[in-house]
Short mmCIF file of all heavy atoms in Angstrom, two decimals:
data_model
loop_
_atom_site.label_atom_id
_atom_site.label_comp_id
_atom_site.label_asym_id
_atom_site.label_seq_id
_atom_site.Cartn_x
_atom_site.Cartn_y
_atom_site.Cartn_z
N VAL A 31 -27.09 -0.42 -3.12
CA VAL A 31 -28.42 0.15 -3.32
C VAL A 31 -28.88 0.89 -2.07
O VAL A 31 -28.28 0.79 -1.00
CB VAL A 31 -29.43 -0.94 -3.72
CG1 VAL A 31 -29.04 -1.61 -5.03
CG2 VAL A 31 -29.60 -1.97 -2.62
N SER A 32 -29.97 1.59 -2.22
CA SER A 32 -30.57 2.33 -1.12
C SER A 32 -30.86 1.40 0.05
O SER A 32 -31.34 0.28 -0.14
CB SER A 32 -31.87 2.98 -1.60
OG SER A 32 -32.44 3.76 -0.60
N GLY A 33 -30.52 1.84 1.25
CA GLY A 33 -30.80 1.06 2.44
C GLY A 33 -29.70 0.11 2.86
O GLY A 33 -29.81 -0.54 3.90
N CYS A 34 -28.61 0.05 2.09
CA CYS A 34 -27.55 -0.91 2.44
C CYS A 34 -26.65 -0.40 3.56
O CYS A 34 -25.89 -1.17 4.14
CB CYS A 34 -26.72 -1.29 1.21
SG CYS A 34 -25.62 0.01 0.62
N VAL A 126 -33.90 -7.82 3.51
CA VAL A 126 -33.16 -7.03 4.50
C VAL A 126 -33.12 -5.57 4.07
O VAL A 126 -33.35 -4.66 4.87
CB VAL A 126 -31.73 -7.60 4.69
CG1 VAL A 126 -30.90 -6.69 5.60
CG2 VAL A 126 -31.78 -9.01 5.25
N LEU A 127 -32.84 -5.34 2.79
CA LEU A 127 -32.80 -3.97 2.26
C LEU A 127 -34.16 -3.29 2.37
O LEU A 127 -34.24 -2.14 2.79
CB LEU A 127 -32.34 -3.99 0.80
CG LEU A 127 -30.89 -4.40 0.59
CD1 LEU A 127 -30.67 -4.85 -0.85
CD2 LEU A 127 -29.95 -3.26 0.95
N ALA A 128 -35.22 -4.01 2.01
CA ALA A 128 -36.56 -3.43 2.06
C ALA A 128 -36.93 -3.03 3.49
O ALA A 128 -37.52 -1.97 3.72
CB ALA A 128 -37.57 -4.43 1.50
N GLN A 129 -36.57 -3.88 4.45
CA GLN A 129 -36.86 -3.55 5.84
C GLN A 129 -36.11 -2.27 6.24
O GLN A 129 -36.68 -1.39 6.88
CB GLN A 129 -36.46 -4.70 6.75
CG GLN A 129 -36.70 -4.39 8.22
CD GLN A 129 -36.22 -5.52 9.13
OE1 GLN A 129 -35.43 -6.37 8.74
NE2 GLN A 129 -36.69 -5.50 10.36
N ARG A 130 -34.85 -2.17 5.86
CA ARG A 130 -34.06 -0.99 6.21
C ARG A 130 -34.61 0.27 5.56
O ARG A 130 -34.70 1.31 6.20
CB ARG A 130 -32.61 -1.20 5.82
CG ARG A 130 -31.89 -2.20 6.68
CD ARG A 130 -30.47 -2.37 6.21
NE ARG A 130 -29.73 -3.23 7.10
CZ ARG A 130 -28.42 -3.28 7.15
NH1 ARG A 130 -27.70 -2.52 6.35
NH2 ARG A 130 -27.81 -4.08 7.98
N VAL A 131 -34.95 0.19 4.28
CA VAL A 131 -35.47 1.36 3.56
C VAL A 131 -36.78 1.83 4.18
O VAL A 131 -37.03 3.03 4.30
CB VAL A 131 -35.63 1.05 2.05
CG1 VAL A 131 -36.39 2.15 1.34
CG2 VAL A 131 -34.27 0.87 1.40
N SER A 132 -37.61 0.89 4.60
CA SER A 132 -38.91 1.26 5.17
C SER A 132 -38.77 1.94 6.53
O SER A 132 -39.70 2.58 7.01
CB SER A 132 -39.81 0.02 5.30
OG SER A 132 -39.32 -0.86 6.28
N GLN A 133 -37.59 1.82 7.15
CA GLN A 133 -37.36 2.41 8.47
C GLN A 133 -36.65 3.75 8.39
O GLN A 133 -36.10 4.22 9.37
CB GLN A 133 -36.56 1.44 9.34
CG GLN A 133 -37.31 0.18 9.64
CD GLN A 133 -36.47 -0.86 10.37
OE1 GLN A 133 -35.26 -0.76 10.47
NE2 GLN A 133 -37.12 -1.88 10.87
N ARG A 134 -36.67 4.39 7.20
CA ARG A 134 -36.01 5.69 7.03
C ARG A 134 -37.04 6.75 6.67
O ARG A 134 -37.07 7.24 5.55
CB ARG A 134 -34.96 5.61 5.92
CG ARG A 134 -33.85 4.66 6.20
CD ARG A 134 -32.77 4.69 5.18
NE ARG A 134 -33.22 4.92 3.82
CZ ARG A 134 -32.41 5.11 2.78
NH1 ARG A 134 -31.13 5.11 2.94
NH2 ARG A 134 -32.89 5.31 1.59
N PRO A 135 -37.89 7.13 7.60
CA PRO A 135 -38.90 8.14 7.29
C PRO A 135 -38.26 9.48 6.93
O PRO A 135 -37.25 9.87 7.50
CB PRO A 135 -39.73 8.24 8.58
CG PRO A 135 -38.80 7.77 9.65
CD PRO A 135 -37.90 6.75 9.01
N HIS A 137 -36.62 10.29 4.27
CA HIS A 137 -35.51 10.25 3.31
C HIS A 137 -36.07 10.47 1.92
O HIS A 137 -37.15 10.00 1.59
CB HIS A 137 -34.79 8.90 3.38
CG HIS A 137 -33.48 8.88 2.67
ND1 HIS A 137 -33.36 8.65 1.32
CD2 HIS A 137 -32.21 9.07 3.12
CE1 HIS A 137 -32.09 8.69 0.96
NE2 HIS A 137 -31.38 8.95 2.05
N MET A 139 -35.30 9.24 -0.84
CA MET A 139 -35.33 8.03 -1.66
C MET A 139 -36.42 7.11 -1.13
O MET A 139 -36.26 6.48 -0.09
CB MET A 139 -33.97 7.34 -1.61
CG MET A 139 -33.89 6.10 -2.45
SD MET A 139 -33.82 6.53 -4.17
CE MET A 139 -33.22 5.00 -4.83
N PRO A 140 -37.58 7.03 -1.82
CA PRO A 140 -38.67 6.21 -1.29
C PRO A 140 -38.42 4.71 -1.47
O PRO A 140 -37.70 4.30 -2.38
CB PRO A 140 -39.87 6.66 -2.14
CG PRO A 140 -39.28 7.12 -3.42
CD PRO A 140 -37.93 7.71 -3.06
N PRO A 141 -39.01 3.90 -0.59
CA PRO A 141 -38.85 2.45 -0.70
C PRO A 141 -39.24 1.88 -2.06
O PRO A 141 -38.71 0.87 -2.49
CB PRO A 141 -39.77 1.91 0.41
CG PRO A 141 -39.87 3.02 1.39
CD PRO A 141 -39.80 4.29 0.59
N ALA A 142 -40.14 2.56 -2.76
CA ALA A 142 -40.62 2.07 -4.06
C ALA A 142 -39.50 2.00 -5.10
O ALA A 142 -39.62 1.26 -6.08
CB ALA A 142 -41.73 2.98 -4.58
N LEU A 143 -38.41 2.72 -4.89
CA LEU A 143 -37.33 2.70 -5.88
C LEU A 143 -36.29 1.61 -5.63
O LEU A 143 -35.37 1.44 -6.43
CB LEU A 143 -36.64 4.07 -5.93
CG LEU A 143 -37.47 5.20 -6.55
CD1 LEU A 143 -36.68 6.50 -6.56
CD2 LEU A 143 -37.91 4.83 -7.96
N LEU A 144 -36.44 0.85 -4.56
CA LEU A 144 -35.47 -0.21 -4.26
C LEU A 144 -35.37 -1.22 -5.41
O LEU A 144 -34.27 -1.58 -5.83
CB LEU A 144 -35.82 -0.92 -2.96
CG LEU A 144 -34.91 -2.10 -2.60
CD1 LEU A 144 -33.46 -1.67 -2.45
CD2 LEU A 144 -35.42 -2.77 -1.33
N GLN A 147 -33.39 0.02 -8.31
CA GLN A 147 -31.95 0.02 -8.03
C GLN A 147 -31.38 -1.39 -8.12
O GLN A 147 -30.31 -1.60 -8.67
CB GLN A 147 -31.68 0.61 -6.65
CG GLN A 147 -31.81 2.11 -6.62
CD GLN A 147 -30.98 2.72 -5.52
OE1 GLN A 147 -30.79 2.13 -4.46
NE2 GLN A 147 -30.47 3.90 -5.78
#
Side-chain angles (χ1 to χ4, degrees):
V31 299
S32 183
C34 72
V126 173
L127 292 161
Q129 178 184 18
R130 289 179 175 199
V131 169
S132 69
Q133 295 173 348
R134 297 185 325 173
H137 193 276
M139 181 73 163
L143 289 180
L144 176 60
Q147 285 205 327

